[in-house]
Amino acid sequence: MDFELNEEQRLFRQTLRDYAEKEIMPVAPEWERTGRYPAEIVESFKEFGLYGLNVPEEYGGLEADRVSYALAFEEIARAWLGAAGLFGPHSVACWIVSRNGTPEQKAYWLPRMATGEVRSGICLTEPGAGTDLQGIRTTAVRDGDHYVVSGSKTWITNARVAGMFPVLVKTGKADGGHEAMSVLLIDTSSPGFTVTKDLPKMGYKGPESCELVLDRVRVPVGNLLGGVEGCGLQQVLGGLEIGRINIAARAVGVAQAAYDAALGYSREREAFGRPISDFQAIQLKLADMATEIQAARLLTYWAASRSQAGGGRVDMEAGMAKMYASETAIKCSLESMRIHGGYGYSAEFVVERLYRDAPLMAIGEGTNDVQRLVIAKSLVSGKGRLGW
């Protein structure tokens, strides 16, 4: 049992950490406050190859191991959660295409997705269907060699900059279950594909989150992911599982940033003639934060490692990591704010942003209550178990 990163992973982490501390941390407060789109960061991510994390090498991607995948999100989110969103949903889309696409689909899309020339995300959620994906109402009706797609999607990250989206649709009856669901790879320049508005958010500034409408969008039959109807729900659930590992890693990054800020402030802030880090009340908070962050980190790396080793589904492990890490991020951001006192409530200090960003991870890629159910079902069924 080895709890150490290998040399390649350490170098990868350090490279991203150095970049994030030098280029992202200094600009994040102002860009987040003003809503400035981080175009320069996007270009840097292209140079690092981060858009190709989940793209096989044969298509020009990094084909990163799962722990390195988690490391990338942890380090970038530690600097600014919004920056991690620039390639987070894209990496899930790459996974979905690379694992389920036909040879023609992979050859057409993946090389450009790997470089960031074509950016993506995932189009699942609708105004009336989030957790219950089988409740989506977007339909795709076969018309000769095309599908005609009609419906709407919401909370779509990177909607205004994406070139293609895997879109979950009903190719069967609108009230049908998983057997009626498919994924279509839809070019965003298609007539009838319209981004209608940006959604205002408490946090997670930087990447846009939008509503969009598909008004009789004609999509070639060749863009049916995998070439077979009725496989859509399983295709996206596999992608969401990998997405939960990146959400867990982002949460670890946010929690680490909250801890770093609290530790630094406690050493500098004085009360009654000495640093507040000398007081037991502060030390107890720091000890709890550090312990829970490290537990969240190990859970995340464990889930990533199990995914890499087994090659199959790791619903329980990814669910545990995502649930625990996101709750840790929420708790640590609040504890950091308390340690900062009144300054923690000021937008001039990073902890205020972390406190607004943290709750997203408890919602994204499946709410934490859903993760608890996933974990429990895995345990009850015998598919998952504790220990070795």
Side-chain angles (χ1 to χ4, degrees), residues 12 42 117 139 196 210 328:
F12 183 66
V42 170
E117 175 191 347
T139 58
T196 54
C210 303
T328 297

Side-chain angles (χ1 to χ4, degrees), residues 21 85 100 273 277 369:
E21 291 180 351
N100 302 288
S277 59
D369 284 339

Side-chain angles (χ1 to χ4, degrees), residues 257-267 276 282 286 289 332 335-337 339-340:
Y259 167 80
D260 292 341
L263 180 62
Y265 182 80
S266 70
R267 287 169 170 167
I276 64 172
I282 300 299
L286 292 172
M289 290 169 68
C332 287
E335 290 299 280
S336 184
M337 180 177 287
I339 290 172
H340 280 76

Side-chain angles (χ1 to χ4, degrees), residues 15-16 19-20 22-24 27 31 38-52 62 76 83 86-87 114-116 119:
T15 300
L16 291 180
Y19 164 75
K22 181 180 178 182
E23 302 294 340
I24 299 180
V27 301
W31 290 9
E40 295 90 338
I41 295 176
V42 170
E43 294 306 311
S44 295
F45 287 173
K46 290 179 180 179
E47 294 176 10
F48 281 120
L50 295 185
Y51 285 105
L62 288 183
I76 300 302
L86 298 171
F87 67 104
T115 63
R119 292 160 62 191

Side-chain angles (χ1 to χ4, degrees), residues 31-254:
W31 290 9
E32 201 263 359
R33 183 183 67 82
T34 61
R36 182 187 185 284
Y37 189 76
E40 295 90 338
I41 295 176
V42 170
E43 294 306 311
S44 295
F45 287 173
K46 290 179 180 179
E47 294 176 10
F48 281 120
L50 295 185
Y51 285 105
L53 278 173
N54 280 341
V55 176
E57 291 181 352
E58 64 184 292
Y59 297 106
L62 288 183
E63 197 171 357
D65 66 88
R66 309 287 196 280
V67 172
S68 294
Y69 172 71
L71 289 170
F73 287 101
E74 178 183 343
E75 292 302 326
I76 300 302
R78 175 173 164 262
W80 183 15
L81 179 66
L86 298 171
F87 67 104
H90 174 92
S91 73
V92 177
C94 290
W95 178 273
I96 290 172
V97 175
S98 65
R99 291 302 184 278
N100 302 288
T102 64
E104 294 77 15
Q105 289 166 352
K106 290 188 282 189
Y108 183 76
W109 291 111
L110 289 178
R112 292 182 294 154
M113 294 175 78
T115 63
E117 175 191 347
V118 171
R119 292 160 62 191
S120 189
I122 48 175
C123 271
L124 309 180
T125 303
E126 298 184 2
T131 298
D132 178 18
L133 287 177
Q134 294 191 53
I136 66 167
R137 292 294 176 183
T138 299
T139 58
V141 179
R142 183 74 178 262
D143 180 25
D145 58 358
H146 284 76
Y147 288 99
V148 179
V149 182
S150 298
S152 61
K153 298 290 181 178
T154 192
W155 291 111
I156 308 304
T157 302
N158 296 325
R160 294 194 180 278
V161 297
M164 180 276 289
F165 277 122
V167 181
L168 187 63
V169 300
K170 289 284 183 70
T171 46
K173 294 181 179 180
D175 59 353
H178 68 87
E179 71 282 353
M181 304 173 74
S182 303
V183 172
L184 294 176
L185 306 178
I186 300 183
D187 189 318
T188 60
S189 65
S190 302
F193 186 104
T194 306
V195 177
T196 54
K197 73 173 184 178
D198 290 41
L199 297 167
K201 299 174 290 185
M202 178 173 74
Y204 194 45
K205 307 294 180 67
E208 70 276 24
S209 300
C210 303
E211 289 184 353
L212 56 86
V213 170
L214 300 105
D215 183 12
R216 296 187 59 79
V217 178
R218 295 186 65 83
V219 181
V221 169
N223 285 29
L224 173 66
L225 184 64
V228 179
E229 292 186 2
C231 301
L233 185 60
Q234 290 304 312
Q235 290 168 343
V236 300
L237 288 179
L240 288 173
E241 178 187 271
I242 295 301
R244 285 168 190 149
I245 292 174
N246 95 47
I247 291 292
R250 290 195 232 182
V252 171
V254 170

